[in-house]
Amino acid sequence: MNAHVPAGHSSLTPLLVLHRAAEAITFYTDVLGARPVVRMDGPDGTVVHCDLDLGAGRFTVMSPSEEYHTRAPDPDDDTVSSSLGVFVPDVDATTRLAAERGATVREQPTDFVNGVRFASIRDPFGARWTLMTQVEPKTDAEVQAALDAWAASWA
């Protein structure tokens, strides 16, 4: 690991600003198997900072804050500017559990040309996730060839 990256982190650590951040932390713990590592709550019950560990990297959750100029997405609007991809042991089971816990399933689990089975959900807090499980290991070159063949089929 690089000396400039703290233990337990990967070089990319997304931050999610969410309404009902404390509930979101519970959702991510129950559905994604995330483990809260550090957490700081504000005196008003907001989440100022919470790092969640996914086993091979972390992400951070916080409540919206005027002080930090952060805004949460509208949980009822499916239009987003980003999506988080997370590898899970069983994409089908995780998608079912996410739906049971209030997520909207946007795309049911399906196999993709890159050797990954994936699904797309919007969690109850407005964040979009791509849930993935590797089903067929492929090199970057094999993935590129599969994507090129798929793109060629559009013509």
Side-chain angles (χ1 to χ4, degrees):
M1 194 59 140
N2 295 320
H4 65 278
V5 179
H9 288 264
S10 62
S11 57
L12 179 64
T13 304
L15 165 67
L16 295 176
V17 179
L18 303 169
H19 296 294
R20 302 178 8 245
E23 292 176 47
I25 292 164
T26 300
F27 179 90
Y28 301 140
T29 300
D30 293 348
V31 174
L32 300 179
R35 181 179 60 84
V37 179
V38 296
R39 180 172 173 167
M40 180 177 139
D41 291 341
D44 58 356
T46 60
V47 176
V48 177
H49 181 101
C50 181
D51 284 348
L52 294 134
D53 188 332
L54 290 167
R58 296 181 181 182
F59 67 103
T60 303
V61 172
M62 73 178 286
S63 299
S65 168
E66 288 187 29
E67 179 180 357
Y68 298 112
H69 304 280
T70 57
R71 178 178 20 190
D74 178 348
D76 298 321
D77 186 353
D78 194 40
T79 303
V80 297
S81 63
S82 62
S83 178
L84 296 168
V86 60
F87 283 94
V88 297
D90 183 338
V91 69
D92 294 86
T94 303
T95 301
R96 282 191 302 276
L97 181 57
E100 290 169 10
R101 300 292 171 93
T104 300
V105 178
R106 301 186 65 262
E107 296 176 81
Q108 290 291 335
T110 189
D111 294 338
F112 191 57
V113 299
N114 63 351
V116 170
R117 186 164 177 78
F118 81 98
S120 175
I121 66 165
R122 187 181 71 247
D123 72 30
F125 315 97
R128 187 176 296 176
W129 294 84
T130 302
L131 307 175
M132 300 173 288
T133 301
Q134 178 180 265
V135 292
E136 180 185 350
K138 291 189 177 192
T139 65
D140 289 342
E142 291 170 326
V143 171
Q144 187 63 59
L147 289 171
D148 291 345
W150 182 46
S153 72
W154 297 351

